[in-house]
C-alpha cells in the first residue's frame, strides 16, 4: 500500500462510521413563493412522508410562502442531486387546476369512506387546467364522478378532474401543464358546480395540498408550447 492510499482508506472508514452514528437533527426550511410541500421535501433531500412526519401539527391549508417547516436530516448528510438524467424521473411541479374556494378537503368523512380529493368551488363553465404535463388515460363519464379526465404523469403520479360540464381532451392525448382540459360542472354526484381534484401516487390517493403551491391558488403560468 502506498503512502497516499492510507489516508484515503482512513477517510473512507471514518465516513462510513459517521454515516451510521450521525444524529438526526431537525432543520428549518422556509417555504418559497409558489412552492409545494412536495417540492420543499425534494430540495431538502427528504421524502414527502418524512417531511409530514417531522411536522405532526402542520395544516397544509394554513401554510404560506415564508412559513417555516422542519425536515429531519442526519448531520453532515448531503441531499442527493435530482438530476434530469435520472431514470426515476418525477413530475416536476403541480399547479392549481383552477382558482376558487376550497369546499371540501381530502380525508373528510363521506359516509363509510373518506374524501379522496379536494373540492374547489367555481362557476359552471370555468376552465379546468392540467395540473402537470402528462398523458390523458381516460376522458369520459364514470358513475359518481360524472364527466372525468384522468392524466398520468411521470413518477407514478395520476391526477383526476371530476364533475366536469364538458371534457375538452381525449384519451391518448398529451397535455401540457396549464392546458385547458375541461369546464367546471356538476355532473355525477355533485350538489353544485365544483371541481373534484385528486392526486394519486402509486395508486394511493394523497392530499392534493401536499403537492399544490402553498397559500391561496396562485396565478397560472402560461401553457407551455411543447410537451417535454
Ligand atoms: Zn370531491
Amino acid at each position: 500500500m502506498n503512502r497516499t492510499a492510507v489516508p484515503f482508506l482512513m477517510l473512507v472508514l471514518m465516513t462510513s462510521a459517521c454515516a451510521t452514528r450521525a444524529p438526526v437533527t431537525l432543520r428549518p426550511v422556509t417555504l418559497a413563493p409558489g412552492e409545494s410541500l412536495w417540492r420543499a421535501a425534494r430540495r431538502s433531500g427528504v421524502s414527502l412522508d418524512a417531511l409530514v412526519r417531522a411536522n405532526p401539527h402542520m395544516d397544509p391549508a394554513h401554510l404560506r410562502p415564508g412559513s417555516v417547516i422542519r425536515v429531519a436530516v442526519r448531520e453532515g448528510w448531503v441531499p442527493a442531486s435530482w438530476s434530469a438524467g435520472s431514470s426515476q424521473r418525477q413530475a416536476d411541479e403541480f399547479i392549481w387546476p383552477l382558482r376558487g374556494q376550497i369546499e371540501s378537503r381530502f380525508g373528510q368523512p363521506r359516509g363509510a369512506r373518506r374524501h379522496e380529493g379536494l373540492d374547489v368551488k367555481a362557476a359552471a363553465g370555468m376552465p379546468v387546467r392540467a395540473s402537470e404535463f402528462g398523458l390523458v388515460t381516460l376522458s369520459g363519464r364514470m358513475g359518481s364522478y360524472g364527466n372525468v379526465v384522468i392524466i398520468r404523469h411521470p413518477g407514478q403520479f395520476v391526477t383526476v378532474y371530476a364533475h366536469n360540464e364538458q371534457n375538452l381532451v381525449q384519451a391518448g392525448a398529451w397535455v401540457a401543464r396549464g392546458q385547458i382540459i375541461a369546464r367546471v360542472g356538476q355532473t355525477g354526484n355533485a350538489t353544485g358546480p365544483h371541481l373534484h381534484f385528486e392526486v394519486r401516487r402509486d395508486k394511493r390517493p394523497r392530499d392534493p395540498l401536499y403537492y399544490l403551491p402553498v397559500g391561496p391558488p396562485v396565478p397560472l403560468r402560461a401553457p407551455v408550447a411543447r410537451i417535454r
Side-chain angles (χ1 to χ4, degrees):
M1 194 175 286
N2 64 36
R3 287 185 181 189
T4 52
V6 174
F8 175 74
L9 184 63
M10 284 177 67
L11 184 68
V12 169
L13 290 170
M14 283 167 67
T15 309
S16 56
C18 287
T20 52
R21 287 183 194 163
V24 173
T25 56
L26 291 171
R27 183 191 295 169
V29 170
T30 304
L31 294 171
E35 191 169 51
S36 64
L37 287 171
W38 178 67
R39 208 172 168 83
R42 286 178 70 197
R43 83 171 152 91
S44 304
V46 300
S47 70
L48 175 63
D49 288 340
L51 184 149
V52 171
R53 277 197 303 273
N55 298 271
H57 304 299
M58 172 183 73
D59 181 350
H62 293 149
L63 295 172
R64 296 287 180 271
S67 294
V68 178
I69 53 168
R70 313 180 293 179
V71 294
V73 291
R74 286 200 183 277
E75 279 176 18
W77 184 78
V78 180
S81 62
W82 301 87
S83 66
S86 167
S87 59
Q88 289 281 312
R89 186 151 179 221
Q90 301 277 336
D92 192 43
E93 182 186 3
F94 294 92
I95 60 167
W96 286 82
L98 84 166
R99 300 190 211 203
Q101 190 188 336
I102 295 174
E103 273 191 319
S104 175
R105 291 183 52 182
F106 177 85
Q108 291 187 338
R110 289 284 170 94
R113 305 187 64 189
R114 293 199 170 267
H115 193 213
E116 296 191 338
L118 186 69
D119 289 350
V120 183
K121 188 180 177 181
M126 289 295 285
V128 176
R129 294 169 187 269
S131 185
E132 169 61 304
F133 89 97
L135 177 67
V136 177
T137 55
L138 189 148
S139 175
R141 214 174 170 91
M142 203 169 75
S144 60
Y145 281 76
N147 290 328
V148 60
V149 173
I150 299 180
I151 304 176
R152 197 173 73 214
H153 313 281
Q156 303 298 314
F157 279 106
V158 166
T159 52
V160 179
Y161 312 76
H163 306 315
N164 306 324
E165 183 180 85
Q166 186 187 7
N167 295 347
L168 301 174
V169 288
Q170 296 197 329
W174 286 90
V175 291
R177 178 191 304 135
Q179 184 177 330
I180 296 172
I181 55 167
R183 302 215 167 269
V184 171
Q186 55 177 45
T187 55
N189 188 12
T191 52
H194 73 276
L195 171 71
H196 170 91
F197 176 62
E198 292 180 18
V199 175
R200 293 172 176 268
R201 191 172 193 194
D202 297 326
K203 297 181 180 169
R204 207 156 59 93
R206 303 295 309 255
D207 189 340
L209 291 180
Y210 290 162
Y211 298 93
L212 295 169
V214 296
V218 293
L220 294 160
R221 291 185 182 180
V224 292
R226 283 186 59 191
I227 306 283
R228 283 169 288 172

